[in-house]
């Protein structure tokens, strides 16, 4: 039967694999039922063929005739058709495919190269939009990658097209074009792809949107070689064997042939021969039905005239199992994989298990490289059509977990130590050592002396393979690489902070004293206040001039009482406070001050690290976003502080008092002198309020910058839990956080900082409220940190800060 199917396939180039398979199954079923022998015309001599004893050359010619002479042959597409239809239903192929896809889709990240943080943020936002919309039919990007991996393993190629939006401003979705429908035609020195439709029309595929990436090809042919094609022969043998086993099972059952011997009943005197035979036949049939029911139930009751006999027709059937396993092993060999992927248990040594695991990992790596290149094409085209200034896109799969993590970690530690020592003794340059470890360059060669270890950022041990540059450059026109890892649960790309070198110092590290910490904080607060003080004075003077102009154009009769005057005057007065710090010169001073303070606490200050040696840090896009946010927030508070409930009340009380005491003079004949007196009094009053409020705003802002910078430092250096520290807490909430809560999760704090920095100042100010110990105790520190108020600052002028710990969890 197998030979018949092979011959039919060779001779029937117009039939597809489905038709051939149905014909084979029909013939097998007919043979099993015995109907194939009915009404058959046979050759007179018993055979129509002749016996031939071929030479090796003839055998090679016969093999070429079976396997085809290249990829232009129609048999290639029949093989593709057969494999595509067979893969979901053949147990071995399906099992191996699922294992390979699960192994290969280990998660991924996307790196983009841009010239500005704004472009990076726009690229991340676009990636997040596409993460779920590019392939909605199957779990977004993860589903698309699964489809690509499966397509490669079955057909040997990726065949897909980026479908553009109607406005041609981006990639709307991905369309999978069946590989077996692709035909190539010579186009100069290359080949142009076409899609063969069901009505045999050839449609030219556009090179900008369509991609055909072959895993392997035969010499100069453009067509991919199906990786499982070599298994087709054994798959057909297995199908033939299964049909024969099915026939045997139906005829004889698992245990052989069961027979019942019955005594023939006596003929009744009045019965004719035909009546007797009919009665015996009915009795046999009734007994057969009863036997079938009770035999399946495992219980049988009979008269002693009946006897059950069992005939074992299988004899010693162990050879059948050996043949079956041999066929499965041949299928695995034809699929270029190990039988373990089929779930076939093998007795192997630990060493052999490692070899098989590495073999499967390398096979997965080979396949997913095509997927990475295809995804890069899609993202590059989408960024281009969106008008985003992205210079480069790199798609990388995450490293598969080690089969023996401890052994691999020890080996990696040895490699890292050797590279660092070679740099320390001057055998190689620090940058060369960094490149051996997967970096683009050494972060700070000045810290080379005494360097011991390289720590990763976050929870991912595989970032080294990404070759990330820890020297993140600023907005000086140079390209900056940022990496975003897909969070499959959220279908969102999350920023991957770059790896930093954390090195043990050759000298003892002394934790800064509290006096030094306090003086450093006070220094920055004073410098910030001194920088903006001239604008505070201008703010008051302009506000008082606006107030005087308001009074000059008003009449006493315009106000029913002192309260109405105070409210109207305050509304006019506050205009100057709204606008002063929105002017260009004031904006620049605030921006420069915030940048200098934040960068000091983020990059230079080591007061938060009592347990580590010298620590090298680099700012990332979250820091840049935090800088921009805090600059806007400072301007917001400096412009709006007069609306502070306490300040507003004091200004209103002052205006009401002046109206009652000098109202006649303000709006009468002595208005000039009265207004000048009011102006002088207002300047004194507003300057004192402004100085107090500005100092409160600045002190709180600097402490907030320190806290957020410390969170970034700890996150970069792999600290999981921070200690809430204040040697002399004064407020109720600080005493509770320091003495009762004590620790908070750094990872949750980092996420909260990222989310808070994306708010507007008004939104942020709207979320601020007095936090009580009871609320923290009820909600828990993890949730409170996640929501943005579990970490300092806890109130205006809050001095509580964070310190590094070695704890793994809160």
């Amino acid at each position: 039967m197998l030979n018949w199917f092979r011959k039919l396939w060779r001779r029937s180039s117009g039939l597809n694999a489905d038709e051939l398979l149905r014909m084979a199954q029909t013939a097998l079923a007919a043979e099993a039922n015995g109907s194939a022998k009915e009404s058959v015309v046979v050759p007179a001599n018993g055979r129509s063929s002749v016996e031939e004893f071929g030479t090796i050359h003839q055998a090679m010619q016969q093999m070429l005739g079976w396997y085809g002479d290249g990829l232009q042959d129609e048999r290639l597409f029949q093989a593709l058709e057969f494999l595509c239809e067979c893969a979901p239903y053949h147990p071995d192929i399906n099992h191996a495919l699922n294992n390979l896809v699960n192994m290969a889709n280990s998660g991924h990240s996307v790196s983009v190269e841009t010239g500005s943080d704004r472009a990076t943020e726009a690229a991340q936002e676009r990636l997040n939009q596409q993460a779920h919309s590019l392939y909605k039919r199957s779990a977004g990007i993860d589903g698309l990658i699964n489809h690509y991996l499966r397509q490669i393993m079955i057909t040997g190629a990726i065949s897909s097209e980026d479908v553009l939006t109607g406005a041609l401003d981006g990639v709307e979705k991905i369309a999978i074009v069946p590989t077996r429908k692709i035909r190539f035609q010579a186009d100069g020195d290359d080949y142009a792809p076409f899609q063969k439709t069901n009505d045999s029309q050839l449609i030219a595929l556009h090179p900008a949107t369509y991609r055909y990436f072959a895993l392997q090809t035969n010499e100069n042919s453009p067509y991919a070689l199906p990786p499982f094609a070599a298994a087709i022969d054994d798959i057909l043998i297995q199908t033939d064997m299964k049909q024969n086993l099915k026939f045997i099972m139906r005829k004889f059952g698992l245990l052989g042939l069961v027979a019942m011997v019955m005594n023939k009943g006596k003929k009744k005197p009045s019965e004719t021969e035909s009546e007797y035979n009919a009665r015996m036949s009915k009795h046999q049939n009734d007994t057969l039905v009863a036997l079938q029911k009770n035999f399946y139930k495992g219980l049988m009751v009979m008269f002693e005239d009946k006897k059950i006999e069992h005939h074992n027709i299988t004899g010693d059937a162990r050879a059948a199992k050996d043949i079956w396993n041999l066929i499965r092993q041949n299928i695995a060999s034809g699929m270029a994989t190990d039988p373990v992927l089929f779930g076939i248990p093998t007795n192997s040594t630990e060493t052999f298990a490692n070899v098989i695991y590495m073999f499967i990992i390398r096979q997965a790596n080979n396949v997913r490289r095509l997927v990475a290149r295809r995804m890069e094409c899609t993202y590059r085209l989408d960024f281009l059509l969106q008008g985003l200034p992205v210079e480069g896109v790199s798609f990388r799969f995450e490293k598969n977990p080690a089969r023996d993590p401890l052994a691999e970690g020890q080996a990696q530690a040895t490699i890292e130590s050797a590279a660092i020592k070679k740099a320390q003794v001057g055998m190689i340059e620090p940058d060369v050592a960094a490149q051996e470890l997967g970096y683009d360059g050494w972060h700070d060669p000045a810290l080379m002396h005494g360097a011991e270890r390289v720590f990763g950022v976050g929870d991912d041990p595989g970032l080294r393979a990404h070759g990330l540059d820890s020297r993140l450059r600023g907005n000086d026109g140079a390209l900056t690489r940022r990496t975003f890892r897909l969070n499959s649960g959220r279908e969102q790309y999350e920023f991957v902070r770059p790896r930093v070198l954390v090195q043990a110092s050759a000298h003892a590290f002394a934790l800064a004293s509290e006096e030094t910490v306090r003086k450093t904080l006070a220094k920055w607060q004073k410098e910030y206040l001194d920088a903006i003080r001239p604008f505070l004075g201008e703010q008051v003077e302009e506000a008082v001039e606006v107030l005087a102009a308001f009074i000059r154009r008003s009449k006493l009769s315009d106000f029913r009482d002192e309260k109405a005057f105070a409210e109207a005057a305050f509304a006019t007065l506050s205009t100057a406070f709204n606008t002063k710090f929105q002017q260009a010169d004031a904006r620049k001073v605030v921006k420069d001050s915030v940048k200098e303070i934040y960068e000091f606490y983020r990059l230079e200050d080591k007061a938060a690290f009592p347990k580590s040696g010298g620590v090298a840090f680099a700012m990332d896009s979250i820091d840049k976003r935090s800088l921009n946010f805090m600059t806007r927030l400072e301007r917001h508070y400096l412009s709006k502080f007069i609306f502070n409930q306490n300040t507003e009340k004091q200004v209103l009380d002052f205006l009401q008092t002046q109206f009652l005491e000098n109202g006649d003079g303000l709006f009468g004949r002595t208005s000039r002198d009265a207004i000048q007196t009011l102006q002088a009094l207002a300047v004194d009053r507003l300057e004192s309020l402004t100085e107090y409020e500005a100092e409160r705003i600045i002190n709180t802002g600097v402490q907030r910058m320190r806290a957020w910078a410390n969170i970034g430092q700890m996150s970069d250096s792999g600290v999981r839990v921070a200690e809430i520290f204040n040697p002399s807490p004064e407020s109720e909430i600080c005493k509770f956080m320091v003495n009762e809560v004590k620790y908070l999760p750094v990872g949750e704090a980092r996420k909260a900082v990222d989310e808070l920095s994306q708010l507007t100042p008004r939104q942020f100010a709207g979320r601020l409220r007095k936090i009580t110990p009871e609320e923290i105790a009820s909600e828990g520190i993890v949730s409170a940190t996640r929501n943005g108020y579990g970490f300092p600052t806890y109130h205006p002028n809050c001095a509580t800060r964070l310190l590094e710990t070695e704890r793994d969890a809160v």
Side-chain angles (χ1 to χ4, degrees), residues 657-674:
T657 300
Q658 293 303 313
F659 179 84
L660 292 173
E661 294 180 357
N662 304 307
D664 291 338
L666 288 175
F667 303 101
R669 288 174 295 178
T670 62
S671 61
R672 177 176 296 179
D673 294 337

Side-chain angles (χ1 to χ4, degrees), residues 156-169:
I158 285 179
S159 174
S160 67
E161 185 168 19
D162 300 326
V163 181
L164 307 184
T165 62
L168 302 181
D169 59 354

Side-chain angles (χ1 to χ4, degrees), residues 553-565:
R553 64 175 180 267
S554 302
K555 297 181 296 185
L556 183 62
S557 59
D558 292 339
F559 312 103
R560 64 179 181 275
D561 53 27
E562 71 278 9
K563 182 178 180 182
F565 165 75

Side-chain angles (χ1 to χ4, degrees), residues 727-742:
S728 54
E730 298 179 359
S731 68
E732 182 184 9
I733 183 63
C734 285
K735 290 178 181 178
F736 178 77
M737 298 302 292
V738 170
N739 298 322
E740 301 298 330
V741 178
K742 297 182 180 180

Side-chain angles (χ1 to χ4, degrees), residues 211-253:
R211 290 291 187 277
Y212 180 101
F213 289 162
L215 185 65
Q216 295 184 42
T217 63
N218 190 12
E219 295 186 340
N220 292 326
S221 172
Y223 293 97
L225 289 170
F228 297 166
I232 292 178
D233 192 10
D234 289 283
I235 291 172
L236 297 175
I237 294 175
Q238 190 183 59
T239 302
D240 195 12
M241 189 173 181
K242 287 172 69 176
Q243 291 293 342
N244 282 305
L245 287 175
K246 187 184 295 185
F247 170 76
I248 293 172
M249 290 290 292
R250 286 177 176 175
K251 287 294 183 182
F252 302 109

Side-chain angles (χ1 to χ4, degrees), residues 2 33 78 83 97 127 187 217 226 237 250 272 277 322 353 359 435 457 479 514 558-559 618 672 694 702 791 796 804:
L2 177 61
N33 293 327
Q78 294 173 359
L83 290 170
L97 274 175
L127 287 173
D187 183 15
T217 63
I237 294 175
R250 286 177 176 175
T272 64
N277 290 334
D322 294 337
F359 166 76
Q435 289 161 11
V457 176
L479 290 179
E514 281 305 306
D558 292 339
F559 312 103
R672 177 176 296 179
V702 173
F791 51 88
E804 167 204 27

